[in-house]
Amino acid sequence: MSETIDSLLHEKRHFAPPPNFVAQANVSDPSIYEAAEPDYEGFWANWAAKLDWFEPWSQVLDWQPPYAKWFLGGKINACHNCVDRHVSAGLGGKTAILFEGEPGDVRAITYAELQAQVSKTANALKALGVKKGDIVCIYMPMVAELAIAMLACARIGAAHSVVFGGFSAEALRERINDGGAVAVITADGGWRRGKIVELKKTVDEAIQDCPSVKKVLILKRTNQPQDYSWVEGRDCWWSDIVDNQSEDCPCEPMDSEDLLFTLYTSGSTGKPKGIIHTTGGYLTGTFATFQWVFDIKPNDIYWCTADCGWITGHSYVVYGPLANGATVLMYEGAPDTPDKDRFWRIVENHKVTILYTAPTAIRAFMKWGDEYPAQCDLSSLRLLGSVGEPINPEAWVWYWQHIGGGHCPVVDTWWQTETGSILITPLPGITVCKPGSASRPFPGVRAEVYSEDGRALEGAHGGYLVLTRPWPAMLRGIFNDPDRYVQQYWSRFPGVYFTGDGVKRDENGDLWLLGRVDDVMNVAGHRISTMEVESALVDHPAVAEAAVIGKAHDVKGQAISAFVLLRAGHEHDNIVSELKEHVAKVIGAIARPDDVFICGDLPKTRSGKIMRRLLRDVAEGRALGDTTTLADPGVVSSLRNQYEHLEA
Ligand code: WTA
């Protein structure tokens, strides 16, 4: 990260919104920022009023820090707003989901068809015994049925808990048991780089120890022979139960504060947190930000490349776009299958107008070479977005030039699983963009830069990013762990939300995000906690102690570097690859360490705390920082010698 931060802080280039873009933009009047200030509750209430409510709210906001309730007393259904509302408004024939599978199969699903499919799926869930208030786990490939399953849950008032298809059986089990899901929706498998990701098999393994799960609904996606098991009475095929259901399934009126979903994310301890999002506020936040940040128009073909297993997929593949009646493209597979131009072929073939992806992907594309996008017609694009990690200015400018052809604004959007919706972002018709800066808070949102001791810093300053006002899509808590909610987000600086990110504000008030300041890594845009990987390592019988750090990496942003102390007698030639595989098995391939370094000792303070900062210095080849608090300063220099020897 250090290189990124340096280049960020010296970045001086400016990119004004192209005049053609401004001429047609949804918002081009900068006064919207000031207008939202005196009454931010009213600002959000105006957005909420654009949605359909079965019953109006009686109070916009109840704010008892750190607990917020939005649109109190209002009754609403998220699925109704994402589907039925548009069919009633005459948009039934418009494409809602444009799906492309990795093998090349393409399907366009209109809003009317989506309504029928979601209703049938919702009725199938009811037939399987799922009721309002239950939790349903979804573990699927990135196919249209994943979005359909989420909406079907929302339709009947069951909360979904989507688990990314790359997570292991153990990680899946932990998430199912924490929530107490009554059913799992999965597929026989999904396609990834021409191979099958064996989802059903992983579900079988996971739910051996999941007493709450009564039913498993399985989509036949790959239809290839595999050796998963089948439990009569528990397992049923999607085609057997969904297809012959009625297309009539009324939307359940939900309280604005009823649970819409939980989604697990990594925090600074080993145990993932089930982030709670409720219905009315979340939908209002994603609806509003999608409309303004992505400048959505009736004819746009919008593509967000995130998987629905992450918050970006929830908010900006499903709820935000569909609440706006947009056409959303979903792609199942890898960006380099069959070749490194796959994304650009998709843009060309489907005439994608808005593309939202992650810096790690952009850096991979840069590395693969300019010729891949150059051989495709990308002229349909009019707006580009970035999310998930700080974007280095070089990647921003490459994206602008080679993908956007120099005529598409680039919106660098900062937010988190917890925030539910984008909070810091340019608005493409207004903002003069600076590569690497997410610019400023969305109207109605207040972000501040805090010092170590909790003072709000004015003007050009670096510090901790905090949010000092509630916003509708904010998390309502952590599932099963109310204390952790308070302790994790509201205790570092009492009464304000601590994001865990470092930030710098420049002379013009623009914000430059600098990455996490806690023990959370950002590896290829995925949040992984160092402690999660450490506990997976010490779970291996050969490991006595482990310390994990995120090390700067030119494509992934950070790579996972593990320093491991073995138990006596466990050294052998394959131990490094064995440990890497072990972590992949415990958590999932996304957490497989890039390096495992077997060492003789770890640098610790006199009170026994591992000094990760020094390990980062060693791994990134920097001069060692302050070592005076170490119990044994010799440890770190001998570590450095060993490490350099290994790298050479
Ligand atoms: C980081 C993803 C810089 C940040 C939506 C945050 C970013 C974490 C940006 C949340 C950005 C996300 N610039 N950093 N535009 N967007 N981050 O929960 O560190 O997967 O705290 O949500 O990603 O990751 P999460």
Side-chain angles (χ1 to χ4, degrees):
M1 279 330 283
S2 51
E3 251 167 72
T4 313
I5 292 170
D6 280 353
S7 60
L8 275 182
L9 300 183
H10 295 110
E11 180 56 44
K12 292 278 180 262
R13 286 169 284 190
H14 289 188
F15 294 78
N20 293 349
F21 193 96
V22 178
Q24 58 80 65
N26 282 350
V27 265
S28 51
D29 179 358
S31 71
I32 53 152
Y33 286 98
E34 289 70 45
E37 275 309 296
D39 177 17
Y40 72 94
E41 291 184 36
F43 170 79
W44 289 116
N46 280 337
W47 279 107
K50 295 181 206 271
L51 297 170
D52 272 1
W53 294 76
F54 300 127
E55 281 178 39
W57 61 86
S58 53
Q59 186 183 344
V60 175
L61 171 67
D62 175 31
W63 178 225
Q64 318 266 350
Y67 306 104
K69 289 185 182 148
W70 285 87
F71 312 116
L72 286 84
K75 298 275 184 281
I76 186 167
N77 183 287
C79 180
H80 168 86
N81 275 285
C82 289
V83 183
D84 306 65
R85 186 163 76 103
H86 308 308
V87 177
S88 308
L91 288 180
K94 178 174 178 176
T95 300
I97 298 177
L98 195 52
F99 169 73
E100 181 164 321
E102 192 183 84
D105 48 323
V106 171
R107 253 169 95 192
I109 302 172
T110 64
Y111 273 97
E113 286 161 351
L114 186 63
Q115 186 181 37
Q117 287 301 316
V118 169
S119 298
K120 283 179 168 190
T121 311
N123 279 327
L125 290 175
K126 284 187 183 170
L128 293 174
V130 176
K131 296 188 195 57
K132 179 174 177 176
D134 284 344
I135 294 187
V136 174
C137 173
I138 302 178
Y139 184 68
M140 290 183 85
M142 190 56 186
V143 293
E145 285 81 358
L146 169 49
I148 290 172
M150 291 165 71
L151 293 165
C153 289
R155 195 169 188 91
I156 63 171
H160 51 74
S161 168
V162 183
V163 178
F164 173 59
F167 276 116
S168 69
E170 269 185 51
L172 176 60
R173 180 186 311 132
E174 188 178 8
R175 286 158 174 76
I176 291 175
N177 284 339
D178 187 64
V182 298
V184 178
I185 308 179
T186 188
D188 58 343
W191 292 107
R192 185 86 191 165
R193 297 208 164 89
K195 296 209 181 74
I196 294 175
V197 182
E198 297 181 305
L199 299 168
K200 169 68 165 90
K201 202 171 160 184
T202 310
V203 169
D204 288 341
E205 196 185 329
I207 65 175
Q208 281 168 5
D209 301 306
C210 294
S212 60
V213 175
K214 303 290 180 261
K215 297 285 177 188
V216 181
L217 177 61
I218 307 127
L219 178 78
K220 214 173 265 175
R221 164 66 186 141
T222 68
N223 212 3
Q224 302 290 311
Q226 290 173 57
D227 60 347
Y228 47 75
S229 62
W230 194 263
V231 176
E232 281 308 328
R234 184 197 74 186
D235 295 352
C236 48
W237 288 114
W238 182 290
S239 51
D240 286 346
I241 184 155
V242 173
D243 291 358
N244 51 25
Q245 296 290 329
S246 147
E247 290 180 6
D248 183 26
C249 176
C251 289
E252 191 66 34
M254 303 299 287
D255 190 273
S256 176
E257 281 298 329
D258 275 340
L259 181 62
L260 179 61
F261 65 86
T262 62
L263 179 64
Y264 287 81
T265 188
S266 291
S268 45
T269 71
K271 193 175 167 333
K273 305 176 282 195
I275 301 300
I276 294 175
H277 282 292
T278 58
T279 311
Y282 173 81
L283 200 65
T284 301
T286 52
F287 169 72
T289 49
F290 182 77
Q291 199 175 109
W292 275 7
V293 176
F294 295 106
D295 190 57
I296 196 73
K297 299 283 167 18
N299 294 328
D300 276 313
I301 310 286
Y302 161 86
W303 181 21
C304 166
T305 66
D307 191 287
C308 287
W310 310 110
I311 192 67
T312 306
H314 282 63
S315 302
Y316 299 106
V317 175
V318 180
Y319 291 107
L322 297 180
N324 277 283
T327 297
V328 182
L329 191 138
M330 286 176 81
Y331 168 59
E332 176 186 28
D336 53 356
T337 306
D339 205 349
K340 295 185 175 71
D341 61 357
R342 182 64 185 264
F343 272 26
W344 319 123
R345 294 279 166 221
I346 291 176
V347 169
E348 177 178 89
N349 291 339
H350 299 289
K351 303 210 167 14
V352 171
T353 58
I354 305 170
L355 176 69
Y356 190 33
T357 195
T360 185
I362 298 167
R363 290 190 297 261
F365 300 142
M366 286 172 77
K367 201 165 189 169
W368 291 345
D370 302 350
E371 61 273 26
Y372 292 102
Q375 18 181 306
C376 297
D377 177 6
L378 305 181
S379 59
S380 56
L381 287 170
R382 66 181 195 89
L383 175 59
L384 303 175
S386 169
V387 61
E389 46 178 322
I391 181 164
N392 47 311
E394 294 331 303
W396 194 105
V397 172
W398 186 89
Y399 195 30
W400 159 275
Q401 264 171 3
H402 293 272
I403 307 305
H407 63 86
C408 304
V410 174
V411 288
D412 172 7
T413 63
W414 177 91
W415 58 296
Q416 308 176 303
T417 307
E418 293 86 342
T419 70
S421 64
I422 293 169
L423 292 189
I424 302 178
T425 178
L427 291 177
I430 298 178
T431 313
V432 175
C433 291
K434 303 173 185 171
S437 166
S439 94
R440 59 189 287 192
F442 191 81
V445 173
R446 181 171 290 165
E448 295 189 42
V449 181
Y450 266 37
S451 65
E452 185 75 38
D453 57 355
R455 276 175 308 117
L457 300 168
E458 304 296 329
H461 250 297
Y464 299 103
L465 178 68
V466 302
L467 303 165
T468 54
R469 241 186 216 167
W471 62 100
M474 67 192 276
L475 78 165
R476 299 298 194 264
I478 297 178
F479 204 79
N480 276 337
D481 206 346
D483 295 342
R484 194 170 171 197
Y485 169 68
V486 178
Q487 181 256 322
Q488 183 93 41
Y489 305 107
W490 302 91
S491 301
R492 176 72 177 81
F493 304 114
V496 304
Y497 175 90
F498 176 49
T499 60
D501 279 15
V503 68
K504 185 174 185 294
R505 194 197 287 114
D506 68 19
E507 310 71 46
N508 311 112
D510 284 315
L511 298 170
W512 301 71
L513 277 307
L514 305 176
R516 304 287 308 191
V517 294
D518 53 11
D519 293 329
V520 175
M521 298 176 285
N522 193 326
V523 181
H526 299 144
R527 252 168 92 166
I528 301 172
S529 97
T530 53
M531 304 248 295
E532 232 172 317
V533 181
E534 284 167 9
S535 43
L537 283 166
V538 295
D539 171 66
H540 190 282
V543 176
E545 202 170 2
V548 167
I549 55 147
K551 161 183 165 176
H553 186 279
D554 60 353
V555 174
K556 298 201 246 187
Q558 285 186 306
I560 304 179
S561 225
F563 291 77
V564 169
L565 242 67
L566 293 179
R567 288 180 195 283
H570 282 276
E571 301 83 2
H572 63 80
D573 289 352
N574 297 327
I575 189 71
V576 166
S577 51
E578 194 177 309
L579 292 178
K580 288 183 182 176
E581 275 324 295
H582 181 74
V583 176
K585 184 168 182 319
V586 174
I587 306 176
I590 52 165
R592 181 188 282 115
D594 296 83
D595 324 305
V596 171
F597 179 60
I598 307 292
C599 50
D601 213 344
L602 291 169
K604 289 189 184 152
T605 60
R606 281 174 216 114
S607 58
K609 236 179 124 212
I610 297 174
M611 290 195 72
R612 288 198 179 70
R613 179 174 56 76
L614 292 177
L615 293 176
R616 254 191 305 271
D617 290 342
V618 169
E620 293 175 356
R622 255 194 314 275
L624 293 177
D626 184 8
T627 58
T628 50
T629 54
L630 284 177
D632 175 3
V635 170
V636 66
S637 42
S638 77
L639 205 60
R640 150 148 304 166
N641 290 341
Q642 285 178 52
Y643 196 88
E644 281 169 357
H645 179 69
L646 197 83
E647 294 275 281

